[in-house]
Amino acid sequence: MALTLVLAGCGEDGYEPAGPFRPLPQGPPPEVGPPTESSPAPAPGDPADPGSGTTGGDPNVVATGLTVPTGLVVLPDGSAVVGERETGRLLQVFPDRSPAQELMVLPGVDTAGDGGLLGLALSPTFDEDGLFYAYVSTATDNRVVRFPIGGTPNPVLTGLPRGEVHNGGGLAFAPDGTLFVGTGDTGNPALAQDPASLGGKVLHVDVFGQPVSGAGPVFSRGFSDVTAVCPSGDEAGTFYAVDESSAGPDELNELVEGSDHGWPAAGAGTITPLLEIGNAEGGLGGCAAAGTTVFLGALDGQRVTVVQVDGNGGVAEDPTELLGGRYGRLRTVVLDSEGGLWVTTSNRDGIGTPAEDDDKVLRILPPSSTGSSPL
């Protein structure tokens, strides 16, 4: 079912549109082929119509024609809302491949450098309040805002450092309803260790942006660019963060309160990463976890890397990959309640080589070690 558009009045604490904006794509909203009967997410495999030159028969593709989709959340009805980094558009996409529906455009999103609409999360009480949270760049800062569809974005957390690069964007709620926010060092590595800066950190706040801890909002420090954070869903409340670095290997980290992850001095942290991934295989932009299985979207690696953690600060086996080289640069990864993995491509980000129908949203059923869903 499509979202019902609910207009909200402008609040006094909203922020003013500040641009600059990339032009919206011309023409009608993305078309993803005729609706089909709902079915479980297809397992990854060859397109249904290989060699046809189109994606219309590819069971993995649920939407095409997007512009750098970066944040994605799955709604209670099984559909998803995806945000475009370059335009600030939010669109609803459907697992049965029904046509995508444009919902709104977030105002005030500044796309200079690698900024823009960088992350999305659903309110922990979404069924009651219908609120979305977004990590966005403005002309002067990075910030977290919240809004109903069609409503004015109101600030939750403002003043996060803004730069041409390394703007972060990790955003995810914990099971207890608190919010983890991953920031970047904005190209100034010293910020990651600066106790007076929120750059290069993972922050832990409540739904109003107030620190959960009396010591302040900083949960962990010593990061280059935290592009994604994700909960494991286990009873211990384990949280992971991916740190994308242009000067060294990318990292998958387990978050521990008060930990220092070392950037910019290699090996100087109080905790070692679970996994390091070389730049050619990395460019990590997404994280999703179910228990001890972690899925990582890799832009430069053009794959989803699958990691089995051992619960003792390491990995249980060599990582494997899904979709390697098939769809180009892969960014956001999100698991749904049926075990389906939603994945966004990022081939129109100025680095990739886009196909005519890029960018895409994919949905697959990743195999576990037993050949079934990991959930």
Side-chain angles (χ1 to χ4, degrees):
M1 176 180 293
L3 279 178
T4 301
L5 188 66
V6 179
L7 295 177
C10 296
E12 293 181 358
D13 55 353
Y15 69 93
E16 294 297 325
F21 298 98
R22 302 285 172 86
L24 288 174
Q26 299 299 310
E31 293 291 333
V32 296
T36 60
E37 293 184 1
S38 298
S39 60
D46 292 333
D49 188 14
S52 67
T54 70
T55 59
D58 188 339
N60 296 337
V61 177
V62 300
T64 61
L66 304 179
T67 307
V68 196
T70 299
L72 184 145
V73 292
V74 178
L75 299 179
D77 67 1
S79 66
V81 171
V82 61
E84 292 182 325
R85 191 191 84 186
E86 299 288 294
T87 67
R89 286 200 307 173
L90 297 180
L91 301 103
Q92 189 174 10
V93 297
F94 303 90
D96 66 1
R97 304 166 73 224
S98 300
Q101 297 186 15
E102 182 174 331
L103 301 174
M104 66 179 291
V105 178
L106 280 178
V109 176
D110 184 293
T111 60
D114 67 9
L117 171 52
L118 300 178
L120 284 177
L122 283 186
S123 165
T125 52
F126 180 80
D127 286 342
E128 290 76 39
D129 58 36
L131 291 176
F132 292 79
Y133 285 68
Y135 187 115
V136 298
S137 305
T138 73
T140 58
D141 69 355
N142 287 300
R143 57 176 56 192
V144 178
V145 299
R146 66 178 186 172
F147 54 92
I149 290 298
T152 298
N154 290 313
V156 174
L157 188 63
T158 63
L160 306 179
R162 167 76 160 100
E164 285 293 303
V165 297
H166 290 190
N167 285 291
L171 195 66
F173 279 98
D176 64 1
T178 59
L179 182 64
F180 284 84
V181 182
T183 70
D185 67 12
T186 70
N188 179 5
L191 295 186
Q193 295 295 331
D194 184 350
S197 173
L198 297 181
K201 312 292 195 302
V202 171
L203 313 177
H204 191 200
V205 298
D206 63 19
V207 294
F208 304 108
Q210 298 301 306
V212 172
S213 166
V218 175
F219 188 84
S220 297
R221 69 181 188 275
F223 298 99
S224 174
D225 190 19
V226 182
T227 55
V229 291
C230 59
S232 71
D234 63 14
E235 293 183 358
T238 304
F239 237 85
Y240 301 108
V242 295
D243 189 16
E244 195 275 330
S245 173
S246 57
D250 294 349
E251 295 178 354
L252 170 64
N253 292 281
E254 182 177 337
L255 294 177
V256 177
E257 188 171 8
S259 59
D260 177 1
H261 293 261
W263 176 257
T270 61
I271 188 171
T272 58
L274 293 170
L275 180 68
E276 293 184 335
I277 298 178
N279 295 122
E281 292 79 34
L284 299 182
C287 172
T292 59
T293 303
V294 185
F295 301 91
L296 305 173
L299 294 159
D300 298 332
Q302 300 189 10
R303 68 193 71 178
V304 173
T305 298
V306 185
V307 183
Q308 300 292 336
V309 298
D310 62 13
N312 296 308
V315 298
E317 57 191 54
D318 289 339
T320 58
E321 69 175 58
L322 298 172
L323 307 177
R326 288 188 55 191
Y327 298 99
R329 294 165 61 79
L330 304 182
R331 186 186 292 268
T332 304
V333 288
V334 176
L335 284 163
D336 64 27
S337 61
E338 295 182 355
L341 184 70
W342 297 72
V343 185
T344 69
T345 73
S346 188
N347 295 315
R348 295 192 179 275
D349 60 5
I351 300 174
T353 303
E356 184 178 353
D357 58 352
D358 273 326
D359 274 308
K360 303 178 182 74
V361 176
L362 315 172
R363 183 173 181 259
I364 63 171
L365 187 65
S368 70
S369 59
T370 60
S372 59
S373 166
L375 292 182

